Amino acid sequence: MTHSHSPTHTSSIDSQQQAWLTTSVAEYHQQSKRRLLLLAALTVLVVIAFLSDLYIGSQGLSYETFLQGLLHSEVAPGEINRRAVVIVWDIRMPSAIMAVLIGMVLAVSGAQMQTVLKNPLADPFTLGLSSAAGFGAALAIVLNKSFASYLPIPEAFFIPLNAFVFSLMTALLVSFAGIVKRLTPATVTLLGIATMFGFNALLTLVEYLASADQLQELLFWIMGSLAKASWLDIKILLVFMAISLPLIFINAWKLTAIRANEELARARGISAERIRVQVLILVSLLTAAAVSFAGTIGFVGLVAPHIARMLVGEEQRWFLPATLLIGGAVMSFTSLISKALVPGVLFPVGVITALIGIPFFLSLILSSKRNHWS
Amino acid sequence: MSRLSVNDLSLTLQGKRILNSVTMPEVSGGEIIAVIGPNGAGKSSFVKCLCNLYKHTGKICVDRTPITAASKKSFAKNIGYVPQTIGAGSHLQVSEMLVLALKADSLAWGVKQSDLLKMAEMLDRLHISHLQNKYCSELSGGQLQMVSLAQALITNPSLLILDEPTSALDLSNQLQTLALVRDYVDTPLPLPESHTPKKPIALVVVHDLNLALRFADKVMLLSDGELASFGALPDTLTPALIQAHFNVETELLYGSDNRPSLAVLRAI
């Protein structure tokens, strides 16, 4: 065989080629810098959304009073504006923080469900987790039955705990059925959709049995609300995030590889099945915690990852933080809108996410020519 | 990897026997082995077994030592695999695809400068530097195939496995791609830890028998899940053998450079 002998593995390369390589590497760094700036901009957006959310409320505070409350600043020597402090810190702060956290959790859960199941429609809703939580809450509200009755925990967790248990059980059931039966990602998604319809039917049945008052409470829960958020809820959610997020983040490269080409990833010795199950369990924990506190808030889990994907692509080192930030910002703005739409009236955030999210989402996907799910 | 052999490899998928006791005699570094055979012969399945994508029986030996459960992972690390179906996959840029190939099983987030240099070198070598910032969904099938090959080569694998690497390429790119593979296996790998430089091995599944004749050293003919023939090229690939397994009548022609090529006369 005759063949030309170019310096394939050797490092002796001429200067022109060297210049080429330097340009190429510089371009990569440039790209990274652009994305870093974008993440910084998103962080600023979250902060703006959060502060605006904090500023708006039924008790109209002037800008000055708001700052007095927020900063505990002295209005007279040794005296602070106690009313402003109570409104900002005790009434508004928990739900404003909760909005950001819930947004982040739902977004990252949706993103990773889409990643490991390779399905652009996967999110806590379509996999039945939200419906299961809704059914769990309904049982507690209407039939007064909750897992919480068997545990020594505060009354406040009567409904959330039931929602959590049902949601988590569903997630684990779907995941384990996937492992035991060696199902493909598409089948796991279908299983989730079947579960969703099942729980929705059960939910309707319980609603049928409910009294008018119970129905009102249940409806409020199902439509999603941040109004009941407490500092304890926030702490619990933070614990869940502190456990789950690092375990997801550490697999950033493997997740990128599995999503890019699972066959190739497996040939490289990455156990795709194990990572899939591991990540599904982690995001199930996160979702279950989120919906049990805030009810079923749809759409953030679906929309935020898609926006992140369009902005920074799907390398998880960028995709994960971008998803978190976009989720936080979207939820925070939604909370703001739910209060500002009609002054004095608090709309359920779940409804707002859908009403605002759908047109926005449609315009995004219809204007995008790229198809990366084939 | 200077020597590779496969012993008695069998594969059953969903109750169907796909590969039946396939044995590949020892091949050495610096050799390209063309894996050929009619559709459904088990070519892809065979190379996938080497990549540990299917649960199979039989032995794979590297330097005459069988691969065990313990050495599986390090064997996997030495393989550069170009799968048959590539697809746009996820929303990644070409540069990210190459860096990913280097970092896939890493837990550390950072990308080293040396990794980026490897990325740049590989783009340059495959003449796809202009695609660096393109998203994979914007590429043509042929461009994707080049990216996929770059992903396989960037880790400097000692076993290169290509499953129909030329299916989406035009004639000139087919020749260029296989010349690149030829060049790759002819050049010893830069392994700092070994004293004797080792050349890589390439297993290439191809449909085009003329490409096999032109670039490969040995041929492995699979038919109905069994090894039908194995040997050096061009002698092994006789018109009689081709007729028996591909059901076509062919004739060996010698060009002006005195190299053989196959002319297909008619189907039988």
Side-chain angles (χ1 to χ4, degrees):
Chain A
M1 298 265 166
T2 57
H3 48 268
S4 65
H5 224 291
S6 66
T8 326
H9 310 296
T10 53
S11 52
S12 60
I13 27 182
D14 58 49
S15 61
Q16 192 195 347
Q17 199 183 3
Q18 187 66 54
W20 249 112
L21 301 188
T22 319
T23 320
S24 207
V25 171
E27 247 175 76
Y28 185 91
H29 283 307
Q30 207 68 99
Q31 173 80 288
S32 303
K33 210 180 277 173
R34 270 198 297 273
R35 288 186 174 160
L36 219 52
L37 275 175
L38 196 75
L39 289 188
L42 286 174
T43 311
V44 172
L45 195 69
V46 173
V47 173
I48 292 174
F50 172 75
L51 287 176
S52 319
D53 185 23
L54 208 54
Y55 179 57
I56 302 281
S58 54
Q59 297 281 324
L61 293 183
S62 73
Y63 184 63
E64 205 181 5
T65 335
F66 170 67
L67 280 185
Q68 282 169 3
L70 183 65
L71 305 172
H72 283 87
S73 51
E74 295 185 349
V75 282
E79 198 182 312
I80 55 168
N81 186 340
R82 193 144 296 284
R83 178 176 162 268
V85 169
V86 168
I87 290 175
V88 173
W89 283 93
D90 296 350
I91 298 175
R92 292 184 190 170
M93 192 63 91
S95 51
I97 294 179
M98 202 58 161
V100 175
L101 294 186
I102 293 280
M104 287 181 161
V105 162
L106 291 177
V108 86
S109 302
Q112 292 319 313
M113 285 173 183
Q114 290 168 13
T115 300
V116 296
L117 295 178
K118 292 181 212 156
N119 193 320
L121 288 175
D123 87 331
F125 245 83
T126 44
L127 288 188
L129 303 193
S130 297
S131 314
F135 176 66
L139 280 186
I141 293 168
V142 178
L143 302 179
N144 212 18
K145 292 259 189 298
S146 166
F147 286 98
S149 358
Y150 309 107
L151 294 168
I153 52 168
E155 180 73 14
F157 292 113
F158 192 72
I159 301 167
L161 187 82
N162 222 33
F164 179 80
V165 171
F166 269 91
S167 177
L168 191 63
M169 280 197 325
T170 304
L172 295 182
L173 222 67
V174 171
S175 306
F176 281 119
I179 316 165
V180 174
K181 300 285 285 174
R182 294 189 151 269
L183 300 178
T184 60
T187 324
V188 173
T189 312
L190 283 175
L191 198 62
I193 290 173
T195 317
M196 176 186 78
F197 280 114
F199 275 117
N200 279 347
L202 286 172
L203 183 62
T204 313
L205 197 67
V206 178
E207 279 171 357
Y208 189 71
L209 301 173
S211 70
D213 283 350
Q214 290 167 337
L215 204 56
Q216 174 106 37
E217 192 182 350
L218 181 57
L219 198 63
F220 194 67
W221 197 92
I222 288 170
M223 287 193 296
S225 162
L226 300 162
K228 286 181 186 157
S230 72
W231 286 106
L232 182 60
D233 296 353
I234 290 170
K235 281 179 200 155
I236 293 173
L237 194 55
L238 278 174
V239 169
F240 274 95
M241 290 171 84
I243 295 168
S244 308
L245 291 182
L247 290 174
I248 295 173
F249 273 54
I250 203 169
N251 281 318
W253 285 112
K254 289 182 185 171
L255 285 164
T256 311
I258 291 170
R259 170 77 179 94
N261 190 325
E262 186 167 332
E263 201 177 46
L264 212 52
R266 282 173 53 216
R268 277 289 296 272
I270 297 170
S271 35
E273 281 92 0
R274 215 193 62 219
I275 300 228
R276 177 173 297 131
V277 170
Q278 193 183 323
V279 167
L280 273 180
I281 290 173
L282 289 173
V283 297
S284 304
L285 271 175
L286 282 176
T287 312
V291 287
S292 56
F293 287 133
T296 51
I297 296 171
F299 231 67
V300 184
L302 188 66
V303 143
H306 282 280
I307 300 174
R309 204 173 277 121
M310 285 174 199
L311 289 178
V312 297
E314 247 176 309
E315 201 200 86
Q316 299 271 341
R317 291 185 307 156
W318 303 111
F319 181 55
L320 272 172
T323 307
L324 277 176
L325 291 170
I326 291 168
V330 166
M331 205 59 228
S332 203
F333 273 124
T334 309
S335 163
L336 167 72
I337 292 166
S338 74
K339 286 187 283 185
L341 213 54
V342 179
V345 179
L346 180 67
F347 283 96
V349 274
V351 176
I352 306 288
T353 45
L355 282 183
I356 295 174
I358 289 172
F360 178 61
F361 184 58
L362 283 180
S363 73
L364 267 183
I365 51 167
L366 292 179
S367 64
S368 165
K369 289 184 196 77
R370 296 189 191 123
N371 177 15
H372 35 267
W373 288 100
S374 53
Chain B
M1 188 173 312
S2 42
R3 280 164 302 184
L4 173 76
S5 62
V6 177
N7 237 325
D8 216 10
L9 189 140
S10 295
L11 169 71
T12 306
L13 287 178
Q14 288 157 350
K16 196 172 169 247
R17 193 77 156 172
I18 308 290
L19 292 170
N20 196 9
S21 184
V22 173
T23 291
M24 181 180 82
E26 193 169 88
V27 295
S28 324
E31 288 183 327
I32 296 181
I33 293 86
V35 182
I36 61 167
N39 288 336
K43 305 183 292 291
S44 285
S45 303
F46 175 70
V47 294
K48 279 182 186 174
C49 284
L50 291 186
C51 292
N52 200 32
L53 291 172
Y54 291 139
K55 225 181 169 124
H56 55 86
T57 59
K59 265 190 299 192
I60 299 169
C61 296
V62 175
D63 294 334
R64 301 204 174 130
T65 321
I67 290 171
T68 58
S71 60
K72 228 183 210 169
K73 207 140 197 171
S74 69
F75 177 65
K77 274 191 193 305
N78 280 316
I79 296 180
Y81 173 50
V82 179
Q84 190 174 7
T85 45
I86 302 162
S90 60
H91 203 40
L92 287 177
Q93 290 177 338
V94 171
S95 56
E96 290 174 319
M97 291 286 275
L98 294 202
V99 172
L100 174 65
L102 289 169
K103 300 280 302 182
D105 45 11
S106 164
L107 297 180
W109 271 34
V111 177
K112 289 198 203 98
Q113 186 74 8
S114 59
D115 289 341
L116 293 181
L117 267 174
K118 278 186 202 162
M119 179 266 297
E121 258 178 65
M122 190 51 64
L123 288 171
D124 187 47
R125 200 160 112 206
L126 267 61
H127 310 294
I128 49 174
S129 293
H130 58 289
L131 301 178
Q132 177 172 346
N133 292 329
K134 289 243 191 262
Y135 278 101
C136 287
S137 46
E138 301 169 300
L139 303 183
S140 71
Q143 287 172 328
L144 269 177
Q145 218 152 31
M146 294 306 278
V147 172
S148 185
L149 181 65
Q151 277 196 298
L153 289 178
I154 199 168
T155 53
N156 271 332
S158 50
L159 175 59
L160 189 59
I161 295 180
L162 306 138
D163 197 352
E164 295 193 32
T166 54
S167 56
L169 300 178
D170 59 28
L171 277 176
S172 143
N173 274 313
Q174 287 184 12
L175 293 176
Q176 270 180 34
T177 300
L178 284 170
L180 207 84
V181 173
R182 181 76 256 170
D183 188 38
Y184 182 75
V185 298
D186 283 339
T187 320
L189 286 167
L191 296 172
E193 66 271 19
S194 79
H195 302 293
T196 46
K198 291 175 179 173
K199 288 180 181 175
I201 300 170
L203 281 179
V204 189
V205 177
V206 278
H207 265 301
D208 188 338
L209 301 181
N210 277 318
L211 280 177
L213 270 173
R214 196 173 181 87
F215 290 98
D217 302 293
K218 289 179 176 163
V219 66
M220 175 175 190
L221 171 61
L222 289 175
S223 189
D224 246 344
E226 297 193 8
L227 181 74
S229 185
F230 184 94
L233 281 171
D235 303 342
T236 312
L237 209 55
T238 59
L241 185 75
I242 294 169
Q243 183 168 341
H245 294 283
F246 290 89
N247 293 324
V248 286
E249 203 177 308
T250 54
E251 192 178 358
L252 266 179
L253 305 171
Y254 286 84
S256 53
D257 57 356
N258 217 19
R259 285 213 238 171
S261 61
L262 277 168
V264 179
L265 303 178
R266 68 181 75 83
I268 297 164

